[in-house]
Amino acid sequence: MTTPAQRRIQSDTLAGYVTYYSPTGRRFGLRTSDEREFTVHLASNAVSRIVRNLGDDYRDTTADTVDMLAEGRFVFAYGILYEWEGGSRFDAKEITFPEETRGQYVFEHPNWWVQQATAIADFYLRGQFPDGVYDWRGFRTHLTLSGTHLPDFAGGDVRQETDTISRLVYGLSTAYLLTGKDRFLEAAEAGTLYLREHMRVDDQADGITYWYHGIDITSSGHRPVFASEFGDDFDAIPMYEQIYALAGPTQTFRITGDPRILEDIDRTSALFQKYFRDPVRGGFFSHLDPITLDPNADSLGRNRARKNWNSVGDHAPAYLINAYLATGRSDFAALLEETADTIVERFPDEPNSPFVQERFHADWSPDRTWGWQQDRAVVGHNLKIAWNLTRIKALFDKPEYATTAEHIAEIMPAVGSDGLRGGWLDVVERQPDPDSGIHRMVWHDRKAWWQQEQAILAYLILAGTTGDPEQLRLGREAAAFYNAFFLDYQDGGVYFNVLASGIPYLLGTERLKGSHAMAGYHALELCYLAATYTGLLLSNDPITLHFKPRPEDLPDQVLRVAPDLLPAGTVELTRVWVDDQPYQNFDGKALTVRLPRGDEPVRVRVELEPATMRLRMRTSFDGGTAHVVCHGVIDAAELSKFRRILAEVMAATPRRVEFHLCEVGGMCRPAINELLFQRTKAGLDVDFVIVGCALPDVADALLATDAFLLAGGDECNHD
């Protein structure tokens, strides 16, 4: 008999693909992302659910669990692992399905990330401005789990950190880009103005702008905090703080074109060039002495004459790509190219380590003794490099950018992901343990929200630009883990960290939803770019973006609306509205809108589509009549989109559905069957009508069902 000392019982999560299901044995096979095979037993009281979004109701599927455990389906199984000498058994208590049906991941619905962005942005508005007045004097760096100010920080003396405000401004501006909801832009513009008035130093004599670490709010006013008081950067001016001070204002500038913000970007860039740049060996130093602005000052201690990932690579995602998207300026493009060239040349470290080198001395020799980092890797920084090199490659098509990005993406899963449970790890040793070959975790095996974001975006953009199915699989798995475990349905927002199994970790500063490290930036950046990459590169769905500039603030009244750095010819601008009226003065290929002259802000809504979109479907409602306009081919590859949009139309319970099929070049039999099925479900008092002409074989096939009316219309020519 096995003794108690030989037994082990623990709870855990398994993530993988169903390989078989045995109804009589109530068990199924599961293959994890790293190719391990398990037998999962369904406990008699097991429950199941579909991953839901913020704002959605719980989606219980317990009664359908058996039928949903189909081969190839991706699942999370949480349960109890029993181990004894000579055997083991995993009893699943909860099954979570990221797919509604096989291959139909919930987060690939066009509205998924837009809805999530709205919920997260509203969470921060409620927390920081509970009275609905966007007065940033009331902003607090720290927010509780439920989104309220900490009692310890509600008195007369509080600190507001510049970067935390800027990150939240970025998130709110991004939410406006996706949703067009005025409250987000109003709060973002107020926050940008607050940063300019209270956190900014405009040195006219030196021609530069720099930003305070923060300000302390007291009963008698406020006191600027010049040098950083964060532990890693104490009594210095760190480059990353100056970089992230630009993040929020630059994203706001994309929407409004405010020339004051552009001047701040330019003058802060002058600070980078004049004081942080290494004119001899290239790159940027990580810290300056606050008195002399000298990166070589002895007072900097361990930060003297150092360079790191943040001082070199963080320019691109934090502000530089967005500044280029808004202006198209060659100097911004040149710095992006220089940044990518430096990363490719200096950061990869094979064969010494699969992880990039993140810290350097002035001469670019590795610094493997600095502070907490030592010879350790931040997994998310590796993924961030793969993501941003892929973006910059769209502007400068250098093969070394693609080679480096794709190689990082190829080697990271084995050393930086949790192939058993899903998700991505935090900080690990750059060198493997000589006995096990494992890159040991430095502090814990928890998973941070921002590192999941880097994985999702890296693999989605790679999958969309290379067509590699392995990259798509990894992107979907990362998005599935994030959406299954990081969304806080009770209090709102997203969790900072979860345990390895996906259970939220709610201790210390990681319990907070607002802190030095967290302010909505990464969560809302993820919503925006996941929607962009999924729709425009993977699912062939249009995306809608919103802007609100003063035309006279834009050179030649030209508004640039490119959603991100994507390969040339990937995206087209197909429709524009100005102040809610259709507008035609735009360049679909250049992704620009020439606005009418005027001194007042105008609301600009744009629709962007994949250039190779095979099926375009647009729906509208006129009273009880739904109009479904189709362009392209409705074949097996487009069937899921056709079914989804048709189901959404029917959910509105129209009395009449008019199908405009003049531009349909072909319709497969399953699509015709779907129409017939929906027609039957709608009932006899709902008319399905073919409006205008259609290809003869399409019209004949539909009319042969005896379920459709033919309304006729203008003559059309079909090739």
Side-chain angles (χ1 to χ4, degrees), residues 695-707:
L695 284 175
D697 57 341
V698 173
D700 291 346
L702 292 172
L703 292 174
T705 64
D706 201 28

Side-chain angles (χ1 to χ4, degrees), residues 13-16 33-34 74-76 379-380 383 412-426 441 445-456 459 473-486 498-502:
T13 296
L14 297 176
S33 183
D34 56 4
F74 188 69
V75 301
F76 295 102
V379 172
L383 299 165
M412 276 302 104
V415 295
S417 74
D418 185 342
L420 182 69
R421 305 169 186 86
W424 289 77
L425 305 172
D426 184 16
M441 284 161 266
D445 61 356
R446 300 195 290 276
K447 298 158 185 173
W449 94 106
W450 76 268
Q451 307 212 48
Q452 314 313 306
E453 180 221 9
Q454 307 304 305
I456 295 167
Y459 287 108
R473 178 181 71 84
L474 291 165
R476 282 173 161 174
E477 289 179 5
F481 187 87
Y482 179 86
N483 283 288
F485 298 113
F486 276 88
V498 299
L499 299 175
S501 62

Side-chain angles (χ1 to χ4, degrees), residues 376-619:
R376 296 162 178 166
V378 181
V379 172
H381 288 167
N382 291 261
L383 299 165
K384 202 171 191 178
I385 287 173
W387 165 42
N388 283 284
L389 284 179
T390 306
R391 300 168 87 188
I392 300 172
K393 181 182 180 295
L395 191 58
F396 299 99
D397 192 9
K398 295 186 176 182
E400 57 267 33
Y401 296 174
T403 300
T404 304
E406 291 171 28
H407 185 60
I408 289 174
E410 180 183 0
I411 62 178
M412 276 302 104
V415 295
S417 74
D418 185 342
L420 182 69
R421 305 169 186 86
W424 289 77
L425 305 172
D426 184 16
V427 181
V428 300
E429 300 291 347
R430 293 181 68 255
Q431 303 301 326
D433 172 64
D435 295 326
S436 65
I438 295 171
H439 292 267
R440 289 184 177 173
M441 284 161 266
V442 174
W443 293 296
H444 52 68
D445 61 356
R446 300 195 290 276
K447 298 158 185 173
W449 94 106
W450 76 268
Q451 307 212 48
Q452 314 313 306
E453 180 221 9
Q454 307 304 305
I456 295 167
L457 297 183
Y459 287 108
L460 288 185
I461 194 171
L462 279 165
T465 54
T466 68
D468 186 341
E470 179 68 4
Q471 312 287 26
L472 178 58
R473 178 181 71 84
L474 291 165
R476 282 173 161 174
E477 289 179 5
F481 187 87
Y482 179 86
N483 283 288
F485 298 113
F486 276 88
L487 308 185
D488 184 348
Y489 305 112
Q490 180 173 336
D491 292 313
V494 300
Y495 297 114
F496 189 108
N497 262 356
V498 299
L499 299 175
S501 62
I503 295 174
Y505 180 80
L506 303 176
L507 295 176
T509 57
E510 293 167 55
R511 179 181 178 84
L512 302 178
K513 297 275 180 61
S515 65
H516 171 81
M518 190 183 208
Y521 172 80
H522 288 291
L524 285 159
E525 178 183 56
L526 171 60
C527 291
Y528 174 71
L529 289 174
T532 296
Y533 300 156
T534 300
L536 298 179
L537 298 179
L538 296 169
S539 298
N540 285 315
D541 284 308
I543 66 168
T544 300
L545 299 180
H546 303 264
F547 301 84
K548 198 173 183 181
R550 291 175 65 250
E552 295 306 309
D553 287 340
L554 304 174
D556 299 320
Q557 295 81 51
V558 173
L559 175 67
R560 297 172 180 271
V561 299
D564 194 43
L565 286 179
L566 301 175
T570 300
V571 179
E572 290 183 354
L573 173 60
T574 55
R575 293 200 288 179
V576 176
W577 296 261
V578 174
D579 287 335
D580 299 319
Q581 297 301 312
Y583 188 76
Q584 302 304 322
N585 194 359
F586 63 89
D587 188 326
K589 302 294 184 184
L591 309 183
T592 57
V593 182
R594 186 178 294 276
L595 296 172
R597 301 186 71 92
D599 292 326
E600 295 299 318
V602 294
R603 299 176 62 89
V604 182
R605 173 163 50 102
V606 303
E607 187 175 273
L608 299 141
E609 294 182 349
T612 58
M613 195 168 179
R614 299 177 66 250
L615 174 63
R616 291 174 170 85
M617 293 184 66
R618 291 178 175 142
T619 62

Side-chain angles (χ1 to χ4, degrees), residues 120-121 123-143 149 153 158-174 182-199 214-218 221-222 245 247-249 252 514-515 518-521 524:
I120 293 172
F123 170 83
Y124 282 102
L125 285 186
R126 289 193 304 271
Q128 295 291 0
F129 313 107
D131 59 358
V133 178
Y134 307 129
D135 183 350
W136 288 79
R137 290 176 297 179
F139 171 88
R140 298 296 177 260
T141 297
H142 296 87
L143 283 181
H149 293 161
F153 291 83
V158 299
R159 171 148 312 162
Q160 297 180 331
E161 292 187 20
T162 301
D163 283 6
T164 313
I165 291 179
S166 182
R167 287 181 171 114
L168 181 53
V169 168
Y170 175 97
L172 294 170
S173 295
T174 300
D182 288 332
R183 60 184 180 273
F184 299 144
L185 182 57
E186 290 170 9
E189 288 192 286
T192 299
L193 181 62
Y194 190 80
L195 285 168
R196 298 189 79 249
E197 290 181 342
H198 297 286
M199 313 297 200
I215 58 174
D216 286 338
I217 305 295
T218 69
H222 69 269
T252 306
S515 65
M518 190 183 208
Y521 172 80
L524 285 159

Side-chain angles (χ1 to χ4, degrees), residues 233-490:
D233 318 293
F234 196 78
D235 281 352
I237 300 178
M239 174 64 127
Y240 82 91
E241 285 193 0
Q242 301 299 309
I243 286 174
Y244 277 101
L246 291 178
T250 302
Q251 191 75 324
T252 306
F253 172 67
R254 281 184 68 187
I255 298 167
T256 67
D258 187 336
R260 297 172 299 175
I261 300 176
L262 182 58
E263 184 178 11
D264 288 341
I265 297 169
D266 285 337
R267 293 172 71 84
T268 308
S269 295
L271 167 74
F272 299 156
Q273 299 293 336
K274 189 169 186 177
Y275 292 105
F276 282 97
R277 176 180 285 283
D278 182 345
V280 178
R281 302 179 182 89
F284 295 90
F285 290 107
S286 62
H287 294 77
L288 299 179
D289 175 81
I291 310 302
T292 64
L293 302 184
D294 181 3
N296 294 292
D298 291 342
S299 61
L300 292 172
R302 67 183 182 182
N303 290 320
R304 186 181 69 82
R306 297 297 201 279
K307 301 166 184 175
N308 60 28
W309 155 253
N310 300 103
S311 68
V312 175
D314 259 350
H315 290 270
Y319 77 94
L320 194 51
I321 287 176
N322 290 322
Y324 174 79
L325 291 172
T327 64
R329 279 178 26 183
S330 59
D331 55 335
F332 292 145
L335 184 53
L336 279 170
E337 183 180 20
E338 177 189 333
T339 298
D341 287 345
T342 303
I343 290 171
V344 167
E345 179 184 1
R346 302 295 187 181
F347 283 70
D349 196 35
E350 289 187 292
N352 296 318
S353 171
F355 297 100
V356 298
Q357 180 65 46
E358 298 183 36
R359 294 187 181 270
F360 305 89
H361 295 281
D363 63 358
W364 291 106
S365 59
D367 180 2
R368 296 182 177 133
T369 62
W370 184 91
W372 61 264
Q373 183 135 32
Q374 302 293 304
D375 194 19
R376 296 162 178 166
V378 181
V379 172
H381 288 167
N382 291 261
L383 299 165
K384 202 171 191 178
I385 287 173
W387 165 42
N388 283 284
L389 284 179
T390 306
R391 300 168 87 188
I392 300 172
K393 181 182 180 295
L395 191 58
F396 299 99
D397 192 9
K398 295 186 176 182
E400 57 267 33
Y401 296 174
T403 300
T404 304
E406 291 171 28
H407 185 60
I408 289 174
E410 180 183 0
I411 62 178
M412 276 302 104
V415 295
S417 74
D418 185 342
L420 182 69
R421 305 169 186 86
W424 289 77
L425 305 172
D426 184 16
V427 181
V428 300
E429 300 291 347
R430 293 181 68 255
Q431 303 301 326
D433 172 64
D435 295 326
S436 65
I438 295 171
H439 292 267
R440 289 184 177 173
M441 284 161 266
V442 174
W443 293 296
H444 52 68
D445 61 356
R446 300 195 290 276
K447 298 158 185 173
W449 94 106
W450 76 268
Q451 307 212 48
Q452 314 313 306
E453 180 221 9
Q454 307 304 305
I456 295 167
L457 297 183
Y459 287 108
L460 288 185
I461 194 171
L462 279 165
T465 54
T466 68
D468 186 341
E470 179 68 4
Q471 312 287 26
L472 178 58
R473 178 181 71 84
L474 291 165
R476 282 173 161 174
E477 289 179 5
F481 187 87
Y482 179 86
N483 283 288
F485 298 113
F486 276 88
L487 308 185
D488 184 348
Y489 305 112
Q490 180 173 336

Side-chain angles (χ1 to χ4, degrees), residues 614 633-642 667-671:
R614 299 177 66 250
V633 178
I634 310 173
D635 58 11
E638 303 295 339
L639 182 60
S640 61
K641 179 194 294 187
F642 180 73
M667 181 180 290
C668 64
R669 186 69 220 185

